[in-house]
Amino acid sequence: KDEKVGTGTEAIEGSEIEVSYRGTLDDGTVFDSAKSFVFTLGAKDVIRGWDMGIVGMREGGKRRLVVPPKLGYGQRGSGSAAESGYIPPGATLHFLIQIKKVRG
C-alpha cells in the first residue's frame, strides 16, 4: 500500500535502489531497519517480496509491504532467537520502505 507516491525516477528491474526501511513482525517487534540500504532490484539481493513489491515505486515514495513467508524467509526463518534481528520460521514480515534514490 502506498503511503506517499513519489515523483522521481521509477524503480524497474535492474535499477540500483537506495532505500530506508523498518521491518517488523506481526506483533510489532522490529527485527531490522536502516536509514540507507542499496541493492539492485530483481537481482535476488533481497527477499523476493521486496523484488516484487518495490517495482513501480518512484523516488520519494513510501510504501507498506506485507510479505508472506513464501516471499520472505519461509519455514527456515533467519538468525537465532538469542540474537537481535531474529525472524522466526513462518513469519509474515511488515515493511515501511521509502525510496531515496533510483539509478539506472
Side-chain angles (χ1 to χ4, degrees), residues 25-56:
L25 301 173
D26 280 334
D27 67 2
T29 301
V30 176
F31 63 84
D32 195 16
S33 65
K35 291 183 180 182
S36 178
F37 176 70
V38 178
F39 66 99
T40 300
L41 191 59
K44 299 182 181 178
D45 292 342
V46 293
I47 59 173
R48 192 163 168 233
W50 271 36
D51 272 340
M52 294 172 66
I54 292 176
V55 169

Side-chain angles (χ1 to χ4, degrees), residues 89-103:
T92 296
L93 309 176
H94 303 263
F95 293 96
L96 179 59
I97 300 171
Q98 182 168 5
I99 299 280
K100 297 174 81 171
K101 189 73 179 164
V102 176
R103 299 174 189 91

